[in-house]
Amino acid sequence: MSEAVAIPAYPTGSLAVSPTASILPDDARRSRLFVHGALIACLILQRFGVIAGSAALFVSLPLFAGLLGWALATGQAELRARGTALFLLFTAWTLIATLIAITVPDARFGVSLPSLVAILVTYGFTIVGPSARFDRETVLPLFLAYVRFLSVAGIVQWVIQFAGLRIFSFMLAIPPLKPVLVESQFNFNPILHYGSTILRSNGFFLLEPSIFSQTLAIAVVLDYFVLGRAKWLPLYLLAYLLTFSGTGALTLLLAIPFYACMSARNFGRVAGLIIAAAIGLVLAAMAFPDAVGSLLSRTDELSYSGSSGYARFIGPFLPLAELGQEARFLIGWGPGATERYIYHMEGTGNSIAKLMIDYGLVGITLFMTMLAGTLWRRELAILSVLAVVTFIVGGGYLLFTPMLVLLFLLCIWSARPGDPPLTEV
């Protein structure tokens, strides 16, 4: 039998590694393999999957399911009591809402049982978490290493387009891969604006610039607020500017004020980040005026129809103005009702609006309770808040497995150096 050895410490700013942190070598190796597998599934292989009708089935779904099964079999994982209870409560309501939708149908809506199955399978991942044998301290460093790799790849990708090498879509660059790619459901040709020949960076491996921007926002929070480091922020900022996306910045603007109000020390760190960001923005405006101008021009995006922001945050809620007056709004119209509503507009999608129409006010309450309860970590409060905000701001992340797997990995499976052992699984 292998003997326990101490995990080597790595630089973490002002955070200290617990001297009692120890783990079996085999378990440490399995933990690293699990994290690498999950990150490859949700980041590197994000474009891969199959199209079934109008839905995308990502390869990250079966890969992460397989990793969870392997972790359970090897003792690296176990069922989480709180996560299981919240999931079962939400599941019970979805079944009730589905039964009502089938027995008391509404001619304006349709019902889709595969929609129900997809939600329950995807969020069933949350009932599994790390055991005491899993090395949770490997998660954050490995994630940040992957994001730095994506940042460099995204910068190189954007620069070499001016030399005639444009690799922003795998199905355009390598046509034989098209049958195993889901790019056609996303912005696979991310031009800067109508008529432009310049493409926005998507980190090479990720599906859209907005997804890249949100991934960078998570890295900023982890490196600066959680691990107390600032040396990688210039890399993240440069990569972010080349996405020409405001989504990641929006998630930070919504999440950081909550963190700032938690303590005076937090307020000081937020102020420092704001000052650094302002200086970086001024320098970036001088070096990349078009990129900064494009970002700033999107601040009023919600005010006009036809924009991506309007389609994600305004359009999906318009039907609720009418439906909200009906008593059925309390329980919803059943799984898949949103897309089968006779007045549904293609191109609009928002997870919150969909849950409200499909499962009613009761359903959205139970879902958000499940999501918040699953992602909440008091010692990583800023990450938990950012994860919930990312889900909401993403618009269509309800079944976007790559981002969900990433959020589950970071919020459920990670730990800072020196954090106490798990007390709730």
Side-chain angles (χ1 to χ4, degrees):
M1 181 178 295
S2 302
E3 297 181 358
V5 296
I7 295 297
Y10 51 84
T12 56
S14 61
L15 296 176
V17 177
S18 170
T20 61
S22 61
I23 198 169
L24 292 173
D26 287 345
D27 287 334
R29 178 178 55 83
R30 293 189 186 101
S31 300
R32 290 191 295 272
L33 288 174
F34 178 91
V35 178
H36 278 296
L39 291 172
I40 290 172
C42 67
L43 295 178
I44 306 303
L45 300 179
Q46 187 173 112
R47 299 172 183 263
F48 290 84
V50 295
I51 302 297
S54 61
L57 303 178
F58 302 93
V59 71
S60 54
L61 179 70
L63 288 182
F64 192 60
L67 287 170
L68 291 179
W70 175 69
L72 286 168
T74 57
Q76 295 284 297
E78 56 193 33
L79 297 183
R80 306 169 65 234
R82 183 176 65 192
T84 301
L86 293 174
F87 173 74
L88 291 178
L89 189 60
F90 173 71
T91 298
W93 176 253
T94 61
L95 296 177
I96 293 172
T98 302
L99 180 61
I100 295 174
I102 293 174
T103 56
V104 188
D106 187 316
R108 298 170 299 172
F109 298 88
V111 176
S112 171
L113 293 181
S115 174
L116 171 65
V117 173
I119 287 178
L120 296 184
V121 169
T122 300
Y123 291 91
F125 291 161
T126 63
I127 71 174
V128 180
S131 70
R133 293 172 54 185
F134 184 84
D135 183 10
R136 296 186 299 149
E137 293 183 8
T138 65
V139 176
L140 300 186
L142 287 179
F143 166 70
L144 291 172
Y146 274 78
V147 175
R148 290 163 198 154
F149 170 68
L150 292 175
S151 298
V152 173
I155 294 170
V156 172
Q157 171 199 46
W158 189 84
V159 171
I160 63 176
Q161 71 175 308
F162 299 104
L165 189 57
R166 301 159 71 91
I167 310 178
F168 294 80
S169 165
F170 286 4
M171 70 179 186
L172 295 180
I174 314 175
L177 287 178
K178 187 174 181 179
V180 294
L181 296 171
V182 297
E183 292 180 353
S184 60
Q185 297 286 315
F186 298 87
N187 184 14
F188 63 87
N189 188 39
I191 58 174
L192 184 57
H193 54 74
Y194 180 76
S196 174
T197 59
I198 299 177
L199 296 172
R200 301 183 293 149
S201 174
N202 53 27
F204 190 84
F205 295 97
L206 306 187
L207 278 163
E208 293 187 351
S210 63
I211 298 170
F212 188 26
S213 74
Q214 290 180 80
T215 304
L216 289 167
I218 295 173
V220 168
V221 162
L222 289 176
D223 242 335
Y224 183 73
F225 290 114
V226 176
L227 298 180
R229 298 180 297 205
K231 65 179 181 179
W232 296 104
L233 297 187
L235 175 64
Y236 302 148
L237 176 60
L238 177 57
Y240 184 95
L241 286 173
L242 301 182
T243 69
F244 296 84
S245 171
T247 310
L250 179 60
T251 61
L252 288 176
L253 289 174
L254 293 175
I256 286 179
F258 174 85
Y259 179 76
C261 294
M262 293 179 66
S263 71
R265 178 175 179 271
N266 290 352
F267 186 84
R269 300 190 71 181
V270 169
L273 180 63
I274 292 174
I275 293 173
I279 295 173
L281 192 62
V282 170
L283 295 176
M286 298 170 61
F288 303 97
D290 291 339
V292 176
S294 176
L295 288 173
L296 296 179
S297 68
R298 303 187 67 169
T299 55
D300 64 342
E301 189 175 84
L302 298 181
S303 63
Y304 57 93
S305 61
S307 68
S308 61
Y310 189 95
R312 281 190 291 172
F313 303 116
I314 303 298
F317 289 94
L318 295 179
L320 298 179
E322 176 184 348
L323 298 175
Q325 306 300 317
E326 303 180 21
R328 184 73 176 261
F329 188 54
L330 183 66
I331 59 175
W333 285 267
T338 300
E339 294 80 9
R340 290 156 185 82
Y341 183 36
I342 59 174
Y343 301 115
H344 176 69
M345 297 293 295
E346 291 295 333
T348 61
N350 184 283
S351 301
I352 303 302
K354 174 177 170 57
L355 287 166
M356 293 175 73
I357 294 176
D358 287 11
Y359 302 108
L361 292 179
V362 175
I364 185 63
T365 300
L366 291 176
F367 178 86
M368 293 307 297
T369 300
M370 175 186 69
L371 184 68
T374 292
L375 301 181
W376 176 252
R377 295 275 300 282
R378 184 173 59 181
E379 70 276 18
L380 294 173
I382 181 59
L383 173 61
S384 300
V385 173
L386 184 67
V388 174
V389 171
T390 297
F391 174 85
I392 295 173
V393 170
Y397 280 171
L398 181 63
L399 292 175
F400 187 67
T401 315
M403 182 57 74
L404 293 176
V405 167
L406 179 60
L407 297 181
F408 296 161
L409 178 69
L410 294 177
C411 293
I412 297 175
W413 293 81
S414 69
R416 300 174 305 174
D419 277 350
L422 286 171
T423 58
E424 195 283 329
V425 296

